[in-house]
């Protein structure tokens, strides 16, 4: 099976940089995705890592290290609208398995 | 592009009734659609994977006779919660992976909130 762990909550101030970690256990997977979900809304896709290393998409970057079973999402120049829950998800055999989610609180 | 709709967005029903939720990919064809359930302040739990024209694959612990999934076309999948009970109250979200393009990408619908009284 798959298991993914994330910190439950992170708080940061506007304009800062924050890193949300994801550690996982799996017998194999194709890649690691990150999703954002605002309260009451559906998840939206942020980033996907098929290979080790850093993927950058605007203010968001995602990193994967298969040898360490670890990934992270990096958010730069935090804005109030970034307050949301963030989920990592493993993509494996045409399925997605989600982590427990991290609630990001951005304060002015 | 890549829009997925769900209908209804909100449903309240009496215990024992059945509820059907539709998931449509509006501007792309979806080989695979996924159904998730999310309880408040919790993660998304994959319920089942449906492929057009074939039977859905259910995750362990999900009753296939209670949660009926039909993937009738490349743009439509339905989830029917049969004989709903209060414990089935949850946020149900579908997602779709495009038939062409990145298979590891999934686009989510807006979700359906089900309240069973």
């Amino acid at each position: 099976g798959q298991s993914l762990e994330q910190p439950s909550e992170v708080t940061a101030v506007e304009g800062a940089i924050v890193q949300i970690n994801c550690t996982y256990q799996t017998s194999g997977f194709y890649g690691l995705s990150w999703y954002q979900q605002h309260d009451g809304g559906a998840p939206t896709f942020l980033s996907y890592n098929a290979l080790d290393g850093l993927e950058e998409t605007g203010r968001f970057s995602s990193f994967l290290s298969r040898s360490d079973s670890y990934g992270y999402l990096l958010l730069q120049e935090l804005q109030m609208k970034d307050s949301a829950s963030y989920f990592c998800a493993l993509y494996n055999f045409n399925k997605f398995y989600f982590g427990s989610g991290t609630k990001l609180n951005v304060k002015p | 592009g890549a829009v997925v709709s769900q209908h209804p967005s909100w449903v309240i029903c009496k215990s024992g009734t059945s509820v059907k939720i539709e998931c449509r990919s509006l501007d792309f064809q979806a080989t695979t659609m996924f159904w998730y359930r999310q309880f408040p302040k919790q993660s998304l739990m994959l319920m089942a994977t449906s492929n057009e024209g074939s039977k859905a694959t259910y995750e362990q612990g999900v009753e296939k006779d209670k949660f009926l999934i039909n993937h009738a076309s490349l743009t439509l999948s339905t989830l029917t919660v049969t004989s709903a009970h209060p414990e089935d109250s949850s946020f149900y979200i579908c997602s779709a992976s495009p038939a062409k393009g990145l298979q590891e990408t999934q686009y989510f619908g807006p979700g359906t909130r089900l309240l069973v009284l």
Side-chain angles (χ1 to χ4, degrees):
Chain A
Q2 275 62 224
S3 69
L4 300 94
E5 290 192 13
Q6 302 176 234
S8 59
E9 196 162 350
V10 172
T11 300
V13 296
E14 206 172 3
I17 299 173
V18 71
Q19 178 173 313
I20 298 174
N21 297 324
C22 173
T23 57
Y24 59 84
Q25 290 186 334
T26 181
S27 55
F29 69 107
Y30 296 129
L32 186 72
S33 299
W34 287 91
Y35 293 85
Q36 178 192 62
Q37 186 181 31
H38 285 99
D39 283 346
T44 55
F45 172 78
L46 293 177
S47 186
Y48 176 74
N49 291 75
L51 304 174
D52 282 6
L54 194 67
E55 290 284 340
E56 296 181 76
T57 311
R59 293 189 297 117
F60 299 152
S61 302
S62 58
F63 174 83
L64 174 64
S65 169
R66 288 175 182 264
S67 60
D68 295 322
S69 297
Y70 164 73
Y72 67 72
L73 178 69
L74 192 72
L75 297 87
Q76 302 182 71
E77 300 173 15
L78 280 176
Q79 302 175 9
M80 296 300 292
K81 67 179 182 179
D82 296 329
S83 292
S85 292
Y86 293 83
F87 295 91
C88 57
L90 285 177
Y91 176 61
N92 192 13
F93 298 115
N94 202 33
K95 294 182 182 180
F96 298 86
Y97 298 93
F98 281 76
S100 50
T102 299
K103 184 171 177 58
L104 172 63
N105 302 302
V106 180
K107 302 197 172 220
Chain B
V3 177
V4 176
S5 71
Q6 264 184 260
H7 178 80
S9 56
W10 246 111
V11 59
I12 302 174
C13 69
K14 292 182 179 180
S15 185
T17 60
S18 293
V19 175
K20 179 185 280 189
I21 302 170
E22 289 189 352
C23 176
R24 293 181 185 271
S25 55
L26 298 184
D27 50 3
F28 67 98
Q29 292 185 325
T31 310
T32 307
M33 288 185 170
F34 305 90
W35 288 95
Y36 297 86
R37 180 166 53 182
Q38 186 178 34
F39 293 106
K41 300 189 185 303
Q42 294 189 22
S43 186
L44 285 80
M45 297 302 297
L46 179 65
M47 299 175 66
T49 303
S50 76
N51 294 290
E52 186 264 342
S54 62
K55 290 184 179 180
T57 303
Y58 291 82
E59 293 300 299
Q60 193 171 9
V62 178
E63 300 175 59
K64 61 181 180 181
D65 294 330
K66 180 169 184 62
F67 299 99
L68 300 178
I69 291 172
N70 185 5
H71 195 151
S73 73
L74 285 172
T75 59
L76 173 64
S77 177
T78 60
L79 167 69
T80 301
V81 183
T82 62
S83 187
H85 292 286
E87 58 265 29
D88 297 324
S89 299
S90 188
F91 189 41
Y92 291 88
I93 312 174
C94 73
S95 71
S97 283
K100 296 180 181 179
L102 297 175
Q103 293 297 301
E104 65 271 14
T105 301
Q106 57 175 336
Y107 301 98
F108 284 88
T112 297
R113 293 200 180 277
L114 170 63
L115 178 61
V116 184
L117 302 177

